[in-house]
């Protein structure tokens, strides 16, 4: 993954506010992501991936797919992160009120799916046995500039997440940020053929108010390497003059701290809404 650090520095972070970067006719996007970091129950001896997937598929079909307040939901499994026991469950909501209301609606749908209380409790006990009690939640606000997946994936994909942090420069402005970010997204992110999906998100409720989260969907680890290479090539195509590239990089860099972390997950096909 050569040139990763050098060229990903060109990715502009956003000031902690929702900017209008696209034309008003852009289709309205969901407003919030709830990212739950869960952990496998490492003490379970009879763990079977197919059994886990079948249980989650049953819950997806009977509850999540019927819950009109959940705009989307997906599972992502550890591939290259600091903790091999973790997996992410990401839910998408159209509004803040939907987050709480969706939980109540899911409880109603579960009772409809398993009207017998004993059977319902047995299902959730079996489902819950796959996970430890440890989990954490972060809520992110979605941002403009996404490169949406053209369709729901029918196979597992590689998800590359990069977390960086806002710097809040005194000499910065929303106008400058909007212009730089729009130029970068149009010329680099959207023209990178290896990026099948790109979703920028900012902190809304959680531990770190400076956090900026970018999600890149690619077909494989091999394509991730190619994606990073293209991130190095496309700036030269968009701004052939070296001085112009340097000027843009300097302007963009003041909007973030320069500290970032990287994570690679596997998108689990067949368990998404």
């Amino acid at each position: 993954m050569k040139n990763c650090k050098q060229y990903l520095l060109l990715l502009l972070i956003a000031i902690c506010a929702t900017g209008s970067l696209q034309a008003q006719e852009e289709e309205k996007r969901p407003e919030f992501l709830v990212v739950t970091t869960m952990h496998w129950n490492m003490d379970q001896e009879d763990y079977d991936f197919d059994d886990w997937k079948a249980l989650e598929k049953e819950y997806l079909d009977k509850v999540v797919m019927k819950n009109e307040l959940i705009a989307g939901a997906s599972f992502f499994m550890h591939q290259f992160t600091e903790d091999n026991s973790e997996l992410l469950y990401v839910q998408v909501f159209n509004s803040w009120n939907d987050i709480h209301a969706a939980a109540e609606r899911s409880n109603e749908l579960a009772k409809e799916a398993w009207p017998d209380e004993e059977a319902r409790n047995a299902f959730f006990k079996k489902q819950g046995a796959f996970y430890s009690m440890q989990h954490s939640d972060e809520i992110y606000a979605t941002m403009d500039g996404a490169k949406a997946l053209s369709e729901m994936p029918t196979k597992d994909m590689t998800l590359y997440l990069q977390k960086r942090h806002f710097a809040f420069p005194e000499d910065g402005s929303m106008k400058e940020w909007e212009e730089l970010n729009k130029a970068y997204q149009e010329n680099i992110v959207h023209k990178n053929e290896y990026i099948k999906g790109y979703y920028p998100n900012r902190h809304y409720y959680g531990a770190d108010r400076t956090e900026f989260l970018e999600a890149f969907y690619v077909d494989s680890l091999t394509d991730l390497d190619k994606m990073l290479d293209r991130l190095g090539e496309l700036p030269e195509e968009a701004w052939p003059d070296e001085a112009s590239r340097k000027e843009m990089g300097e302007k963009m860099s003041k909007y973030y701290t320069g500290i970032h972390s990287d994570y690679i997950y596997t998108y689990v096909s067949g368990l998404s809404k």
Side-chain angles (χ1 to χ4, degrees), residues 13-14 16 164-168 203 208-212 257:
I13 66 155
C16 248
R164 57 183 67 240
H165 301 272
F166 305 128
F168 308 105
H203 162 273
D208 188 349
R209 66 182 288 267
T210 71
E211 194 171 285
F212 173 64
T257 65

Side-chain angles (χ1 to χ4, degrees), residues 98-113:
D98 284 354
I99 297 175
H100 177 70
E104 295 183 345
R105 180 64 178 137
S106 289
N107 287 334
E108 294 172 356
L109 288 165
K111 291 179 181 179
E112 294 176 12

Side-chain angles (χ1 to χ4, degrees), residues 8-183:
L8 284 180
L9 282 176
L10 288 175
L11 285 168
L12 176 65
I13 66 155
I15 298 175
C16 248
T18 301
S20 177
L21 307 184
Q22 308 295 329
Q24 291 183 356
E25 61 267 20
E26 181 183 16
E27 183 180 353
K28 179 176 172 59
R29 65 175 187 272
E31 292 188 15
F32 297 103
L33 298 181
V34 176
V35 180
T36 301
T37 301
M38 307 191 308
H39 298 268
W40 298 115
N41 178 5
M42 305 301 283
D43 295 327
Q44 184 171 341
E45 296 181 357
D46 58 346
Y47 171 83
D48 183 277
F49 179 79
D50 290 336
D51 286 347
W52 168 77
K53 193 168 184 179
L55 284 168
E56 291 298 347
K57 182 65 166 61
E58 183 177 357
Y59 184 79
L60 172 72
D61 291 341
K62 293 181 177 180
V63 178
V64 178
M65 296 299 291
K66 295 180 180 180
N67 191 330
E68 66 279 6
L69 299 173
I70 300 175
S74 298
F75 278 98
F76 302 89
M77 296 179 61
H78 153 90
Q79 191 167 169
F80 288 101
T81 69
E82 64 180 2
D83 186 347
N84 71 313
S85 74
E86 73 176 0
L87 69 159
L88 305 183
Y89 184 55
V90 179
Q91 297 179 88
V92 184
F93 299 94
N94 288 321
S95 72
W96 179 259
N97 290 337
D98 284 354
I99 297 175
H100 177 70
E104 295 183 345
R105 180 64 178 137
S106 289
N107 287 334
E108 294 172 356
L109 288 165
K111 291 179 181 179
E112 294 176 12
W114 298 278
D116 179 74
E117 184 176 2
E118 185 175 343
R120 187 168 64 251
N121 289 340
F123 174 84
F124 286 113
K125 182 178 180 180
K126 188 175 181 180
Q127 181 193 43
F130 282 93
Y131 308 110
S132 76
M133 294 299 292
Q134 178 188 3
H135 80 273
S136 60
D137 300 291
E138 296 282 341
I139 301 177
Y140 296 92
T142 63
M143 299 171 65
D144 289 320
K147 179 179 181 179
L149 288 163
S150 59
E151 59 184 2
M152 183 73 74
T154 57
K155 63 178 182 178
D156 291 358
M157 297 185 73
T158 295
L159 175 71
Y160 167 56
L161 293 181
Q162 184 172 88
K163 291 183 182 180
R164 57 183 67 240
H165 301 272
F166 305 128
F168 308 105
E170 292 183 1
D171 62 341
S173 70
M174 180 62 71
K175 182 176 184 296
E176 180 181 53
W177 169 72
E178 288 180 349
E179 292 173 350
L180 292 168
N181 191 59
K182 188 173 187 291

